[in-house]
């Protein structure tokens, strides 16, 4: 066994990058240890994600609610009585105005947050990348919000926004202005949750982009300056292209994270006022776990959200690849 | 570090005005990033009902009253213990399971390699909503609701793909020549992994473990529905009680928030440099 492993390893070391499935048996001989190493994670994902996912998709095709799902009360086992209803849930959701309302707000939320994360993060990264006194002090202080767990941040901001005791209204009063019910009005509540999420998310973008900036060779800037390029031209022609790899990654990750950002909205506004600040994810959650729990409806929302994100990620990657990025 | 500046003509040189602008901009950003945290700490130090005012008085009659109440008169210590246990177990299981996978996708180009990478990315996209209902039913069936192992299982769906992804990026930074030297010396691929690469990747493992811990530590959605029993709650769920619909006590809230944020923040600042490298390096080299 040891000998064959060694041979396989040697063969692999020689032909590492060569994609050669060849015969199944040879492939197994050459790759079995790679597969063995991947196996634990695959097993976990299959059992913990694959199975619930399959069941979730199935539930979304039924009319399961709290009332008709199988359960055990004491010693009594009540069997499930929900039925397969095909695409009814999807049709109901996709034809409801509510869905399109929530989708619109979720898209606005995601685009606004990611744009601000990226814009502010890039601006700060560029500033921090210059020769500057106290640079590392600034850097550490600016990273601080990242260290605050999201749910703690959500509670802190809820306190800041409080209409009676919140410091934001306190400052408005000092400035001689009336108090604002930040979380009671749809427009200000939306602005408020975006502000919280931007506050939390900028440090990550800033540090990632700073890393990207520092990997751009200084000679490029020198050459450009010798050629008479101004600061803006250098930014356009060197900085932005130099950051492309990092940017495309953090934007995709940021989009996915923001689209699914649960705790901020759930804890800052609880989706309110009404359900004005509810994004798709928090809505689906509420649907499943408040009132009469609508398991099938919630599952259908989940499937729709997931499909949208997969389409987004595939499209995004394809676009990047067609532009020559290896990503 | 210095990107600007090389002999002859000083580069990146700015006028005094530009310097002032730069510092002003950064100071403003620092003020915004620090203010909520500072205000949180100040409020927590106010006496019992001190939060009932937004006046900007500092350290007038500060007291540790809120902290004393949180630690003695509430379930906070219990929630803290639950959170530590849950996040700790998630972290250990996540890292143990994910380490080999991270290594395999970093080093070997095996059939199915692309598929595994994609799977890891797609699972990052899973919204809470799609898995939570089936997982909830599954837990209910297995009697795992209100049990810490149940919550850990739910968190594995988040942590395992994530850990594998981060571990991959760290293994990518370990030169492949080291593996080859190990193979030449007669080690099996598993031996190389365990005896040579794993020890070298120790900082990476530490950072992955920390990130994994923080992910479980800050999760609210799963915890809210899986841990409904008072003494089983984690911090994210328990704290919601302090500021409910009809009654809030921001004194308790701010004191517990400080207790939660300070240790996490301290460790975080120590490892933050590596966090980003871990996340972005893996993604850009995929």
């Amino acid at each position: 066994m040891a000998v064959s492993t060694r041979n396989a390893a040697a063969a692999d070391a020689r032909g590492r990058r060569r994609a050669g499935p060849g015969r199944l048996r040879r492939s197994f001989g050459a790759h079995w240890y790679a597969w063995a190493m991947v196996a634990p994670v695959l097993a976990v994902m299959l059992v913990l994600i694959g199975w619930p996912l399959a069941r979730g998709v199935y539930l979304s095709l039924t009319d399961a609610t709290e009332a008709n799902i199988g359960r055990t009360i004491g010693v009594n086992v009540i069997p499930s009585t929900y039925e397969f209803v095909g695409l009814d849930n999807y049709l109901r959701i996709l034809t409801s105005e509510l869905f399109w309302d929530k989708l619109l707000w979720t898209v606005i939320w995601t685009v606004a947050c990611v744009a601000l994360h990226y814009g502010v993060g890039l601006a700060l990264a560029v500033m921090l990348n210059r020769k500057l006194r106290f640079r590392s002090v600034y850097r550490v202080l600016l990273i601080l919000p990242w260290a605050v767990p999201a749910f703690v941040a959500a509670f802190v901001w809820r306190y800041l926004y409080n209409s009676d005791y919140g410091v934001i209204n306190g400052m408005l009063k000092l400035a001689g202005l009336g108090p604002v019910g930040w979380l009671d009005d749809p427009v200000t509540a939306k602005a408020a949750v975006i502000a919280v999420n931007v506050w939390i998310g900028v440090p990550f973008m800033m540090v990632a982009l700073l890393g990207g900036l520092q990997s751009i060779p200084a000679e490029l800037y020198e050459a450009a300056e010798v050629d008479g390029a101004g600061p803006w031209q250098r930014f356009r022609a060197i900085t932005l292209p130099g950051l492309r790899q990092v940017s495309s990654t953090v934007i995709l990750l940021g989009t996915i994270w923001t689209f699914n950002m649960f705790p901020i909205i759930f804890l800052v506004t609880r989706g309110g006022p009404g359900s004005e600040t509810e994004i798709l994810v928090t809505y689906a959650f509420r649907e499943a776990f408040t009132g009469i729990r609508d398991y099938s409806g919630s599952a259908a929302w989940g499937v729709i959200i997931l499909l949208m994100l997969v389409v987004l990620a595939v499209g995004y990657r394809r676009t990047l690849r067609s532009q020559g990025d290896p990503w | 570090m210095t990107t600007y500046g090389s002999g002859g003509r000083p580069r990146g040189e700015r006028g005094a005005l530009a310097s002032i602008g730069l510092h002003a901009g950064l100071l403003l950003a620092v003020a915004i990033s620090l203010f909520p945290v500072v205000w949180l700490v100040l409020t927590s130090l106010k006496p019992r009902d001190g939060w009932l005012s937004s006046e900007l008085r500092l350290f007038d009659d500060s007291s540790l009253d809120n902290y004393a109440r949180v630690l003695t008169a509430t379930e906070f210590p219990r929630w803290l213990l639950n959170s530590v246990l849950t996040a700790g177990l998630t972290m250990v299981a996540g890292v143990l399971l994910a380490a080999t996978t991270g290594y395999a996708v970093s080093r070997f180009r095996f059939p199915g390699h692309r598929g595994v990478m994609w799977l890891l990315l797609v699972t990052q996209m899973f919204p809470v909503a799609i898995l939570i209902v089936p997982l909830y039913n599954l837990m209910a069936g297995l009697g795992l609701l209100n049990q810490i192992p149940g919550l850990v299982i739910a968190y594995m769906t988040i942590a395992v793909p994530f850990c594998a992804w981060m571990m991959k990026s760290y293994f990518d930074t370990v030169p492949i020549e080291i593996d080859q030297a190990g193979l030449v010396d007669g080690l099996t691929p598993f031996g190389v992994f365990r005896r040579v690469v794993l020890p070298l990747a120790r900082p990476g493992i530490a950072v992955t473990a920390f990130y994994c811990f923080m992910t479980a530590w800050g999760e609210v959605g799963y915890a809210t529905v899986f841990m409904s029993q008072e003494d089983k709650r984690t911090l994210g769920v328990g704290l919601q009680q302090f500021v409910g619909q009809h009654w809030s006590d921001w004194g308790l809230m701010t004191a517990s928030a400080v207790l939660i944020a300070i240790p996490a923040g301290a460790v975080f600042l120590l490892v933050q440099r590596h966090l980003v490298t871990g996340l972005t390096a893996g993604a850009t080299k995929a």
Side-chain angles (χ1 to χ4, degrees):
Chain A
M1 200 57 183
V3 175
S4 76
T5 317
R6 206 173 305 156
N7 288 343
D12 184 73
R14 277 197 303 273
R16 184 173 307 282
R17 304 244 163 208
R18 215 185 301 147
R23 293 263 157 84
L24 194 62
R25 193 198 244 161
R26 226 195 66 205
S27 170
F28 182 79
H31 300 293
W32 72 269
Y33 48 84
W35 287 330
M37 284 178 173
V38 176
V41 164
L42 284 188
V44 169
M45 300 223 285
L46 213 63
V47 175
L48 292 185
I49 301 178
W51 189 83
L53 179 64
R55 226 186 111 72
V57 173
Y58 172 74
L59 273 181
S60 74
L61 300 171
T62 67
D63 60 357
T65 62
E66 192 180 11
N68 60 18
I69 201 155
R71 70 216 112 124
T72 315
I73 301 172
V75 290
N76 301 319
V77 178
I78 300 166
S80 304
T81 52
Y82 60 84
E83 284 168 357
F84 190 80
V85 293
L87 294 174
D88 277 13
N89 286 315
Y90 292 95
L91 284 177
R92 189 162 46 83
I93 291 169
L94 293 176
T95 53
S96 72
E97 208 175 306
L98 185 81
F99 171 78
W100 298 103
D101 268 9
K102 293 289 143 249
L103 179 61
L104 179 66
W105 160 234
T106 309
V107 170
I108 294 174
W109 151 264
T110 309
V111 171
C113 286
V114 175
L116 286 168
H117 282 157
Y118 186 80
V120 177
L122 182 60
L124 291 175
V126 168
M127 287 159 98
L128 284 179
N129 198 36
R130 316 201 57 167
K131 223 181 349 183
L132 180 73
R133 211 177 297 182
F134 309 122
R135 183 159 72 171
S136 46
V137 179
Y138 281 128
R139 185 167 170 277
V140 168
L141 293 179
L142 288 172
I143 284 170
L144 207 78
W146 193 4
V148 181
F151 72 90
V152 172
F155 288 127
V156 174
W157 278 89
R158 215 167 113 189
Y159 179 54
L160 299 185
Y161 284 132
N162 189 294
S163 26
D164 301 325
Y165 328 113
V167 67
I168 298 179
N169 278 350
M171 287 186 199
L172 286 181
K173 219 185 290 171
L174 273 183
L177 299 166
V180 177
W182 290 104
L183 303 180
D184 306 324
D185 176 82
V187 178
T188 53
K190 284 176 176 174
V193 283
I194 291 176
V196 177
N197 195 36
V198 169
W199 184 80
I200 292 179
V202 160
F204 168 75
M205 284 286 186
M206 182 189 82
V207 176
L209 292 171
L210 191 56
L213 285 177
Q214 284 169 356
S215 69
I216 301 175
E219 293 78 39
L220 287 180
Y221 288 99
E222 279 162 34
E225 205 171 317
V226 170
D227 289 348
W232 177 242
Q233 278 176 311
R234 280 177 302 196
F235 181 75
R236 286 274 311 272
I238 302 172
T239 309
L240 284 183
L243 284 177
R244 253 187 69 170
Q245 289 254 316
V246 179
S247 299
S248 56
T249 306
V250 291
I251 288 175
L252 180 61
L253 280 176
T255 306
I256 292 171
W257 287 340
T258 310
F259 203 89
N260 284 331
M261 177 50 93
F262 180 82
I264 302 298
I265 287 173
F266 185 71
L267 297 176
V268 174
T269 62
R270 309 212 138 259
S275 69
E276 287 290 336
T277 54
E278 202 103 74
I279 55 173
L280 293 171
V281 179
T282 58
Y283 185 85
F285 180 85
R286 209 171 296 277
E287 184 120 303
F289 293 99
T290 48
I292 293 181
R293 301 176 166 189
D294 182 0
Y295 293 142
S296 56
S298 170
W301 280 82
V303 173
I304 293 174
I305 297 169
L306 182 61
L307 286 180
M308 288 193 294
L309 286 173
V310 171
V311 168
L312 174 85
V314 171
Y316 190 79
R317 264 188 91 147
R318 191 158 293 168
T319 318
L320 288 183
R321 209 173 292 161
S322 72
Q323 290 171 3
D325 276 2
W327 210 86
Chain B
M1 281 293 268
T2 317
T3 8
Y4 298 82
S6 72
R9 200 156 44 105
R11 304 184 30 86
E13 189 95 321
R14 353 166 242 277
L17 210 61
S19 274
I20 292 170
L22 194 57
H23 280 280
L26 285 169
L27 282 174
L28 177 71
V30 166
I32 295 172
S33 96
L34 284 190
F35 181 75
V37 180
V38 172
W39 192 249
L40 169 74
V41 176
L42 289 180
T43 309
S44 74
L45 291 172
K46 287 181 181 176
R48 190 176 181 124
D49 288 326
W51 55 270
L52 285 167
S53 118
S54 59
E55 273 176 57
L56 299 149
R57 277 185 313 176
L58 307 183
F59 302 115
D60 250 13
D61 35 15
S62 46
S63 79
L64 292 176
D65 187 35
N66 288 320
Y67 290 89
R69 278 196 302 144
V70 163
L71 291 173
T72 56
T74 69
E75 292 273 343
F76 181 85
R78 175 95 235 162
W79 298 333
L80 184 69
L81 180 70
N82 289 341
S83 274
V84 169
L85 277 177
T86 311
L89 283 173
T90 309
M91 170 183 91
V92 172
V95 171
L96 280 182
L97 281 166
T100 51
T101 300
Y103 181 70
V105 284
S106 161
R107 287 297 197 262
F108 308 126
R109 293 294 168 268
F110 54 96
H113 174 264
R114 223 167 232 293
V116 172
M117 288 298 293
W118 256 104
L119 211 57
L120 296 179
L121 181 70
V122 171
T123 32
Q124 300 268 315
M125 294 176 213
F126 273 40
V128 199
I130 186 165
L131 288 183
I132 198 164
V133 169
L135 274 175
Y136 180 83
N137 294 335
L138 182 72
M139 302 287 165
L142 295 171
L144 284 173
L145 288 181
N146 286 311
Q147 303 284 336
I148 286 174
L151 194 57
V152 172
I153 290 176
Y155 286 166
M156 299 278 282
T157 63
I158 310 173
V160 167
F162 182 75
C163 282
W165 186 271
M166 277 191 82
M167 297 291 283
K168 176 202 178 287
S169 14
Y170 274 95
F171 290 130
D172 281 346
T173 65
V174 177
I176 200 158
E177 287 72 27
I178 291 178
D179 302 39
Q180 285 159 352
L183 289 173
V184 170
D185 288 347
L187 287 170
T188 65
F190 295 112
V192 170
F193 170 67
R194 201 166 55 83
R195 300 216 202 139
V196 183
V197 180
L198 213 49
L200 283 175
R202 216 177 289 149
I205 294 172
V207 172
T208 308
F210 173 73
Y211 214 109
C212 187
F213 186 93
M214 292 301 284
T215 307
W217 184 253
E219 206 279 337
V220 179
Y222 284 124
T224 304
V225 291
F226 290 170
M227 309 301 255
S228 50
Q229 222 166 287
E230 166 105 28
D231 63 329
K232 297 292 184 191
R233 290 186 178 142
T234 57
L235 289 167
V237 187
L239 256 58
Q240 293 178 43
Q241 278 205 323
F242 294 162
V243 283
Q245 292 282 346
H246 310 291
W247 173 87
S248 352
D249 187 329
W250 289 101
L252 287 180
M253 168 57 73
T254 48
S256 21
V258 171
L259 287 176
I260 296 165
I262 282 180
V267 183
F268 185 91
L269 289 177
L270 287 178
V271 297
Q272 39 85 13
R273 233 169 229 280
H274 307 286
L275 287 175
V276 178
T277 343
L279 272 176
T280 51
T284 47
K285 279 190 223 147

